[in-house]
Amino acid sequence: MKLVRWVVGGWISRAYLVVVVAATVWAFVSVARWGQPDADLAVIWPMLLTGPVSWLLFAVVPHALADSDVVFVVCLSVGALANAVVIDAVVRQIRRARASYDMPLRGEAERG
């Protein structure tokens, strides 16, 4: 449970993961429903949302597995989780910086 809280501890990282899931579902529905060549461009959005980690994973996947939907979802999932961890860490660091900025300095508390 602590690992899950570490990955998706804040509401901003959770919102990011919801957007990634929605874009991925939309891409799969778009490709399945409309068999047009332009429908394949729908998969660009989840890839852009989960980069650069997913791009690296797509680059190292063997060519024989590259067309698999499972490999696609796994690469997107790992990229999304990595980005969620980074987003949560940045938000925590900003909150710590704001909290330390709002604290009075040592000498000001005694003077005021």
Side-chain angles (χ1 to χ4, degrees), residues 38-61:
D38 290 343
D40 291 342
L41 291 175
V43 299
I44 295 296
W45 292 107
M47 291 173 65
L48 288 175
L49 286 171
T50 59
V53 175
S54 66
W55 304 339
L56 180 65
L57 293 174
F58 287 131
V60 298
V61 168

Side-chain angles (χ1 to χ4, degrees), residues 50-101:
T50 59
V53 175
S54 66
W55 304 339
L56 180 65
L57 293 174
F58 287 131
V60 298
V61 168
H63 187 67
L65 299 174
D67 291 335
S68 172
D69 290 341
V70 174
V71 172
F72 181 73
V73 170
V74 167
C75 291
L76 288 181
S77 299
V78 171
L81 290 174
N83 287 345
V85 168
V86 170
I87 289 169
D88 197 46
V90 168
V91 168
R92 286 181 187 178
Q93 189 63 32
I94 290 171
R95 286 184 181 150
R96 280 189 209 127
R98 285 184 66 192
S100 67
Y101 180 73

